[in-house]
Amino acid sequence: QVQLVESGGGLVQTGGSLRLSCAASGRTFSRYKMAWFRQAPGKEREFVAAISSSGSSTYYADSVKGRATISKDNAKNTLYLQMNSLKPEDTAVYYCAAEAGLGITVVAARYDYWGQGTQVTVSS
């Protein structure tokens, strides 16, 4: 079993920045591809960013492209999401997810392990 714990969320003003983190335990972290998803009030969970197990490949949703950076520190068993130029529409609970399979996927159902989420609120 893999356990994931997100942190780093909070209340920020429009245009501000946050770095979210996801600490992992269990299976070898370096084998897992990982992703960030978010769920805003009244909306379905949506893809934000994904990274390959090695960290060499990344992919971003159009809504955050140019404003977000996903990274992975295998030595620390930690996933990160740096978010800049935050907008009110970024307000959501952010979840990290992991899957031992090969290749990047943006489909939430294909990820087996999930954290409990961390709240990001952007004021306007």
Side-chain angles (χ1 to χ4, degrees):
Q1 183 178 347
V2 174
Q3 293 182 320
L4 306 172
V5 180
E6 302 97 335
S7 62
L11 175 64
V12 298
Q13 70 278 13
T14 298
S17 298
L18 284 175
R19 171 164 278 213
L20 308 182
S21 64
C22 173
S25 63
R27 269 197 162 201
T28 304
F29 184 74
S30 61
R31 290 189 57 190
Y32 285 74
K33 63 179 181 285
M34 303 192 74
W36 289 96
F37 291 80
R38 67 187 182 187
Q39 188 165 19
K43 296 184 178 180
E44 296 296 316
R45 190 168 298 186
E46 68 173 344
F47 170 78
V48 178
I51 190 167
S52 61
S53 58
S54 68
S56 62
S57 299
T58 59
Y59 186 77
Y60 299 92
D62 288 343
S63 58
V64 302
K65 196 171 297 181
R67 302 188 297 115
T69 303
I70 187 171
S71 60
K72 186 170 183 278
D73 188 336
N74 287 332
K76 292 182 168 59
N77 287 1
T78 303
L79 177 75
Y80 301 97
L81 182 68
Q82 176 69 43
M83 301 188 67
N84 303 321
S85 302
L86 285 161
K87 307 173 181 179
E89 51 262 46
D90 294 318
T91 295
V93 177
Y94 284 70
Y95 300 89
C96 67
E99 169 58 48
L102 297 174
I104 291 175
T105 180
V106 305
V107 180
R110 295 180 182 174
Y111 287 87
D112 291 331
Y113 304 101
W114 294 83
Q116 83 288 351
T118 185
Q119 177 71 49
V120 172
T121 303
V122 184
S123 64
S124 62

mmCIF file of all heavy atoms in Angstrom, residues 72-91:
data_model
loop_
_atom_site.group_PDB
_atom_site.id
_atom_site.type_symbol
_atom_site.label_atom_id
_atom_site.label_comp_id
_atom_site.label_asym_id
_atom_site.label_seq_id
_atom_site.Cartn_x
_atom_site.Cartn_y
_atom_site.Cartn_z
ATOM 1 N N LYS A 72 9.275 16.163 -8.736
ATOM 2 C CA LYS A 72 9.287 14.941 -7.953
ATOM 3 C C LYS A 72 10.695 14.736 -7.410
ATOM 4 O O LYS A 72 11.661 14.718 -8.178
ATOM 5 C CB LYS A 72 8.856 13.778 -8.856
ATOM 6 C CG LYS A 72 8.662 12.426 -8.233
ATOM 7 C CD LYS A 72 7.998 11.511 -9.269
ATOM 8 C CE LYS A 72 7.677 10.139 -8.728
ATOM 9 N NZ LYS A 72 8.864 9.252 -8.767
ATOM 10 N N ASP A 73 10.813 14.587 -6.100
ATOM 11 C CA ASP A 73 12.095 14.332 -5.456
ATOM 12 C C ASP A 73 12.073 12.893 -4.956
ATOM 13 O O ASP A 73 11.521 12.604 -3.898
ATOM 14 C CB ASP A 73 12.336 15.309 -4.311
ATOM 15 C CG ASP A 73 13.738 15.198 -3.740
ATOM 16 O OD1 ASP A 73 14.370 14.140 -3.870
ATOM 17 O OD2 ASP A 73 14.206 16.200 -3.155
ATOM 18 N N ASN A 74 12.668 11.985 -5.714
ATOM 19 C CA ASN A 74 12.635 10.571 -5.355
ATOM 20 C C ASN A 74 13.399 10.283 -4.064
ATOM 21 O O ASN A 74 13.029 9.387 -3.308
ATOM 22 C CB ASN A 74 13.187 9.721 -6.501
ATOM 23 C CG ASN A 74 12.235 9.643 -7.672
ATOM 24 O OD1 ASN A 74 11.022 9.752 -7.517
ATOM 25 N ND2 ASN A 74 12.784 9.440 -8.872
ATOM 26 N N ALA A 75 14.455 11.028 -3.805
ATOM 27 C CA ALA A 75 15.234 10.829 -2.588
ATOM 28 C C ALA A 75 14.427 11.163 -1.340
ATOM 29 O O ALA A 75 14.620 10.553 -0.288
ATOM 30 C CB ALA A 75 16.513 11.653 -2.628
ATOM 31 N N LYS A 76 13.531 12.139 -1.442
ATOM 32 C CA LYS A 76 12.709 12.562 -0.317
ATOM 33 C C LYS A 76 11.303 11.979 -0.346
ATOM 34 O O LYS A 76 10.495 12.278 0.540
ATOM 35 C CB LYS A 76 12.625 14.087 -0.259
ATOM 36 C CG LYS A 76 13.934 14.764 0.096
ATOM 37 C CD LYS A 76 13.754 16.265 0.187
ATOM 38 C CE LYS A 76 14.955 16.938 0.823
ATOM 39 N NZ LYS A 76 16.208 16.694 0.085
ATOM 40 N N ASN A 77 10.994 11.169 -1.358
ATOM 41 C CA ASN A 77 9.653 10.589 -1.505
ATOM 42 C C ASN A 77 8.570 11.663 -1.476
ATOM 43 O O ASN A 77 7.546 11.520 -0.812
ATOM 44 C CB ASN A 77 9.383 9.549 -0.418
ATOM 45 C CG ASN A 77 10.134 8.257 -0.630
ATOM 46 O OD1 ASN A 77 10.898 8.108 -1.580
ATOM 47 N ND2 ASN A 77 9.921 7.299 0.263
ATOM 48 N N THR A 78 8.795 12.737 -2.215
ATOM 49 C CA THR A 78 7.889 13.879 -2.164
ATOM 50 C C THR A 78 7.589 14.403 -3.566
ATOM 51 O O THR A 78 8.496 14.535 -4.400
ATOM 52 C CB THR A 78 8.471 15.005 -1.303
ATOM 53 O OG1 THR A 78 8.740 14.499 0.013
ATOM 54 C CG2 THR A 78 7.484 16.155 -1.186
ATOM 55 N N LEU A 79 6.328 14.702 -3.803
ATOM 56 C CA LEU A 79 5.843 15.338 -5.020
ATOM 57 C C LEU A 79 5.499 16.790 -4.709
ATOM 58 O O LEU A 79 4.991 17.092 -3.625
ATOM 59 C CB LEU A 79 4.601 14.612 -5.524
ATOM 60 C CG LEU A 79 3.898 15.181 -6.752
ATOM 61 C CD1 LEU A 79 4.693 14.867 -8.009
ATOM 62 C CD2 LEU A 79 2.480 14.629 -6.849
ATOM 63 N N TYR A 80 5.750 17.688 -5.666
ATOM 64 C CA TYR A 80 5.486 19.111 -5.473
ATOM 65 C C TYR A 80 4.645 19.675 -6.615
ATOM 66 O O TYR A 80 4.686 19.181 -7.745
ATOM 67 C CB TYR A 80 6.783 19.913 -5.401
ATOM 68 C CG TYR A 80 7.713 19.485 -4.301
ATOM 69 C CD1 TYR A 80 8.767 18.620 -4.557
ATOM 70 C CD2 TYR A 80 7.541 19.954 -3.006
ATOM 71 C CE1 TYR A 80 9.626 18.229 -3.550
ATOM 72 C CE2 TYR A 80 8.399 19.562 -1.994
ATOM 73 C CZ TYR A 80 9.439 18.707 -2.275
ATOM 74 O OH TYR A 80 10.291 18.322 -1.265
ATOM 75 N N LEU A 81 3.902 20.713 -6.303
ATOM 76 C CA LEU A 81 3.239 21.512 -7.314
ATOM 77 C C LEU A 81 3.448 22.981 -6.961
ATOM 78 O O LEU A 81 2.879 23.471 -5.986
ATOM 79 C CB LEU A 81 1.743 21.202 -7.408
ATOM 80 C CG LEU A 81 0.979 21.977 -8.487
ATOM 81 C CD1 LEU A 81 1.422 21.529 -9.878
ATOM 82 C CD2 LEU A 81 -0.526 21.806 -8.326
ATOM 83 N N GLN A 82 4.275 23.664 -7.736
ATOM 84 C CA GLN A 82 4.480 25.093 -7.583
ATOM 85 C C GLN A 82 3.452 25.819 -8.431
ATOM 86 O O GLN A 82 3.366 25.587 -9.633
ATOM 87 C CB GLN A 82 5.892 25.490 -8.019
ATOM 88 C CG GLN A 82 6.169 26.985 -7.987
ATOM 89 C CD GLN A 82 6.225 27.532 -6.584
ATOM 90 O OE1 GLN A 82 6.819 26.912 -5.705
ATOM 91 N NE2 GLN A 82 5.622 28.686 -6.361
ATOM 92 N N MET A 83 2.669 26.691 -7.815
ATOM 93 C CA MET A 83 1.633 27.429 -8.516
ATOM 94 C C MET A 83 1.880 28.918 -8.362
ATOM 95 O O MET A 83 1.996 29.422 -7.244
ATOM 96 C CB MET A 83 0.246 27.065 -7.999
ATOM 97 C CG MET A 83 -0.086 25.593 -8.139
ATOM 98 S SD MET A 83 -1.814 25.222 -7.742
ATOM 99 C CE MET A 83 -2.645 26.063 -9.087
ATOM 100 N N ASN A 84 1.965 29.612 -9.491
ATOM 101 C CA ASN A 84 2.188 31.046 -9.525
ATOM 102 C C ASN A 84 1.019 31.739 -10.210
ATOM 103 O O ASN A 84 0.200 31.101 -10.865
ATOM 104 C CB ASN A 84 3.485 31.369 -10.268
ATOM 105 C CG ASN A 84 4.691 30.689 -9.671
ATOM 106 O OD1 ASN A 84 4.821 30.587 -8.449
ATOM 107 N ND2 ASN A 84 5.596 30.230 -10.521
ATOM 108 N N SER A 85 0.973 33.051 -10.067
ATOM 109 C CA SER A 85 -0.077 33.861 -10.697
ATOM 110 C C SER A 85 -1.456 33.278 -10.443
ATOM 111 O O SER A 85 -2.268 33.113 -11.359
ATOM 112 C CB SER A 85 0.190 33.987 -12.204
ATOM 113 O OG SER A 85 1.456 34.572 -12.448
ATOM 114 N N LEU A 86 -1.724 32.977 -9.198
ATOM 115 C CA LEU A 86 -2.966 32.296 -8.845
ATOM 116 C C LEU A 86 -4.181 33.163 -9.132
ATOM 117 O O LEU A 86 -4.141 34.389 -8.982
ATOM 118 C CB LEU A 86 -2.940 31.884 -7.383
ATOM 119 C CG LEU A 86 -2.049 30.680 -7.088
ATOM 120 C CD1 LEU A 86 -1.704 30.608 -5.614
ATOM 121 C CD2 LEU A 86 -2.736 29.393 -7.537
ATOM 122 N N LYS A 87 -5.249 32.501 -9.542
ATOM 123 C CA LYS A 87 -6.513 33.140 -9.873
ATOM 124 C C LYS A 87 -7.616 32.577 -8.988
ATOM 125 O O LYS A 87 -7.495 31.460 -8.482
ATOM 126 C CB LYS A 87 -6.870 32.880 -11.343
ATOM 127 C CG LYS A 87 -5.792 33.248 -12.340
ATOM 128 C CD LYS A 87 -6.180 32.784 -13.737
ATOM 129 C CE LYS A 87 -5.109 33.125 -14.752
ATOM 130 N NZ LYS A 87 -5.484 32.653 -16.117
ATOM 131 N N PRO A 88 -8.712 33.314 -8.804
ATOM 132 C CA PRO A 88 -9.825 32.783 -8.011
ATOM 133 C C PRO A 88 -10.325 31.431 -8.524
ATOM 134 O O PRO A 88 -10.746 30.595 -7.711
ATOM 135 C CB PRO A 88 -10.902 33.860 -8.147
ATOM 136 C CG PRO A 88 -10.129 35.118 -8.329
ATOM 137 C CD PRO A 88 -8.938 34.727 -9.167
ATOM 138 N N GLU A 89 -10.269 31.194 -9.825
ATOM 139 C CA GLU A 89 -10.712 29.925 -10.369
ATOM 140 C C GLU A 89 -9.795 28.757 -10.030
ATOM 141 O O GLU A 89 -10.130 27.602 -10.307
ATOM 142 C CB GLU A 89 -10.911 30.007 -11.892
ATOM 143 C CG GLU A 89 -9.721 30.583 -12.630
ATOM 144 C CD GLU A 89 -9.881 32.063 -12.937
ATOM 145 O OE1 GLU A 89 -10.285 32.817 -12.026
ATOM 146 O OE2 GLU A 89 -9.618 32.462 -14.091
ATOM 147 N N ASP A 90 -8.640 29.030 -9.429
ATOM 148 C CA ASP A 90 -7.771 27.972 -8.926
ATOM 149 C C ASP A 90 -8.223 27.451 -7.567
ATOM 150 O O ASP A 90 -7.664 26.468 -7.074
ATOM 151 C CB ASP A 90 -6.328 28.460 -8.815
ATOM 152 C CG ASP A 90 -5.709 28.776 -10.164
ATOM 153 O OD1 ASP A 90 -5.917 28.008 -11.119
ATOM 154 O OD2 ASP A 90 -5.001 29.798 -10.255
ATOM 155 N N THR A 91 -9.193 28.099 -6.955
ATOM 156 C CA THR A 91 -9.691 27.676 -5.655
ATOM 157 C C THR A 91 -10.274 26.274 -5.747
ATOM 158 O O THR A 91 -11.169 26.013 -6.550
ATOM 159 C CB THR A 91 -10.753 28.654 -5.140
ATOM 160 O OG1 THR A 91 -10.149 29.929 -4.906
ATOM 161 C CG2 THR A 91 -11.374 28.157 -3.843
#
